[in-house]
Amino acid sequence: MPEALLLKPDRKFVEEVIDAGGGDLKKCYQCATCSVVCGLSNEPSPFPRKEMIWAQWGLKDRLISDPDIWLCHQCNDCSLRCPRGARPGDVMAAIRQKAIEHYAFPSVMGRLVNSARAIPVMLLLVPALLIAGALLVRGPIEAAFNYVDPHGHEFYAHFFPHWLLIAFYTSLTLLTFGGLIVGLFRFWGGMKANDAALGKGAPILGFIPSTIKALMALLTHDRFGSCTDQASRKPAHFMAFYGFIALFIVTTWAVIDIYVMPYLGVATLYPFGLLHPMKILANVGGVLLIVGAGRAILTRKSAPKDGYHQSTTFDWVFVWLLLLVGISGFIVEIFRFVAEGAAGAEAYASGFATPAYAFYFMHLVLVFGLLVYLPYSKFAHMWYRLAAMIYGEHTGRTGPGKQLVKVDLS
Ligand code: SF4
Ligand code: SF4
């Protein structure tokens, strides 16, 4: 006789998943149509049917450590075919949000960053106060170290010096990324424990080849290719992803250019001119970010109510932040070139300075929301998904063409 299995349902978790966008999960009657039509579901561990029943039963521990919630790319092909209108794609998205909150370290940040009521405070007030505080301590620090900023004559450095900008964002980002690493380790341990309890998860591929395969899938976005009804998500995601990467490369190079090159005897070229390769890359990245985020917003706004993913605050905050960071970045750049063109080296003392610095301040606030809160916002999905994809390759869960039955979705 098989051993009895004691289930410990977490009713609060069921309510949380419902509140986070999985409001139709109780309609599921386990027909498994969703797992059949999903182009990313795989034979050893088909989804999302099992997640639907786990969610109905409130099996929080099993769900938040389930790699399959991250192997789903939210195409909603399953939701469109669900005969009960249970919206399994939305339930998977809601569970992912809960997983990010669960693994957040410190956990209070996961709750605060994703609380709709706390958004104005967390996204606007806190960054604005911290940035203003950094500006206030600038003078005393420079005086204490008898430091004369060699970049002080530059248009934006006059307002917010490079050394302060780098120290401020680097320290905060490293701090929160430390939290992300803790969360990812806990997630990895959870996946292993989850599989061990189910008698699965034996490694079939080494960690390094698994990582390479997962990275290739991420860089090519090949899993998005399985979407049928919302195929337009792939180019939007692709553009926003590579736009962000381009801007990250430019920012890193700017820091090297300002603070490393002089030690190597190479003259710094920052701030880059319009035709400098890094400025060109920055502008291409900015355009990709704006177009990608803009397309994502339009797709979400025009999604019919029936079957398609209904975006939540968690989704909206992220795509709007991406768009606004891109737009405000261009406004800041235009101010700089116009001011320098009109006033030359004394641009910081010109009439352009006040509006330009106001926009720059806003841009820094938005960048804070995107970068410093990355481990707690929807942005974290990139890292959790990558970890799940590596684990999936490692344990033989993934691979294109493993759809159970090929279905004509037309
Ligand atoms: S979510 Fe819908 S398609 Fe999937 S098992 Fe439940 S009822 Fe069937
Ligand atoms: S949303 Fe798409 S990827 Fe996710 S479970 Fe449904 S069909 Fe599969």
Side-chain angles (χ1 to χ4, degrees), residues 383-395:
W383 303 95
Y384 283 93
R385 176 163 289 148
L386 181 62
M389 284 162 70
I390 295 169
Y391 185 83
E393 297 291 352
H394 185 54
T395 56

Side-chain angles (χ1 to χ4, degrees), residues 63-137:
L63 281 166
I64 53 165
S65 304
D66 174 19
D68 297 327
I69 59 171
W70 296 101
L71 302 184
C72 157
H73 279 49
Q74 206 175 328
C75 66
N76 276 283
D77 289 346
C78 56
S79 296
L80 284 160
R81 270 90 201 167
C82 171
R84 292 280 291 163
R87 294 179 179 277
D90 284 3
V91 174
M92 294 288 268
I95 297 167
R96 286 194 290 272
Q97 179 185 335
K98 291 290 119 190
I100 289 174
E101 286 176 32
H102 176 84
Y103 290 114
F105 181 81
S107 56
V108 64
M109 286 296 287
R111 287 196 298 278
L112 283 176
V113 172
N114 293 301
S115 155
R117 270 180 296 180
I119 283 173
V121 173
M122 294 303 290
L123 278 181
L124 299 175
L125 191 62
V126 170
L129 288 177
L130 287 175
I131 293 168
L135 284 171
L136 284 177
V137 298

Side-chain angles (χ1 to χ4, degrees), residues 71-295:
L71 302 184
C72 157
H73 279 49
Q74 206 175 328
C75 66
N76 276 283
D77 289 346
C78 56
S79 296
L80 284 160
R81 270 90 201 167
C82 171
R84 292 280 291 163
R87 294 179 179 277
D90 284 3
V91 174
M92 294 288 268
I95 297 167
R96 286 194 290 272
Q97 179 185 335
K98 291 290 119 190
I100 289 174
E101 286 176 32
H102 176 84
Y103 290 114
F105 181 81
S107 56
V108 64
M109 286 296 287
R111 287 196 298 278
L112 283 176
V113 172
N114 293 301
S115 155
R117 270 180 296 180
I119 283 173
V121 173
M122 294 303 290
L123 278 181
L124 299 175
L125 191 62
V126 170
L129 288 177
L130 287 175
I131 293 168
L135 284 171
L136 284 177
V137 298
R138 170 203 177 168
I141 291 177
E142 286 184 343
F145 288 91
N146 208 13
Y147 179 72
V148 179
D149 185 6
H151 301 277
H153 61 283
E154 291 169 16
F155 188 53
Y156 285 114
H158 183 76
F159 169 62
F160 204 126
H162 301 323
W163 70 264
L164 184 59
L165 194 69
I166 294 166
F168 180 78
Y169 279 96
T170 308
S171 54
L172 283 175
T173 306
L174 286 179
L175 212 60
T176 54
F177 265 64
L180 177 68
I181 290 168
V182 171
L184 288 172
F185 267 107
R186 288 166 54 193
F187 174 49
W188 190 273
M191 288 190 288
K192 283 177 72 173
N194 218 3
D195 268 353
L198 297 169
K200 299 193 289 187
I204 63 146
L205 188 65
F207 182 76
I208 290 175
S210 302
T211 304
I212 292 170
K213 282 185 83 173
L215 278 173
M216 288 309 293
L218 181 74
L219 294 175
T220 57
H221 277 47
D222 69 346
R223 306 262 161 97
F224 279 91
S226 72
C227 287
T228 54
D229 294 274
Q230 288 184 290
S232 63
R233 289 182 65 245
K234 181 174 177 176
H237 205 277
F238 203 77
M239 284 189 278
F241 177 78
Y242 278 101
F244 182 81
I245 301 267
L247 293 171
F248 183 77
I249 290 170
V250 173
T251 307
T252 307
W253 185 254
V255 174
I256 293 171
D257 192 273
I258 297 168
Y259 289 108
V260 179
M261 288 306 187
Y263 285 103
L264 302 176
V266 181
T268 179
L269 293 173
Y270 194 84
F272 303 130
L274 205 51
L275 294 179
H276 186 283
M278 280 294 151
K279 181 52 81 182
I280 294 171
L281 184 62
N283 286 332
V284 171
V287 170
L288 286 176
L289 193 70
I290 290 172
V291 176
R295 274 189 73 154

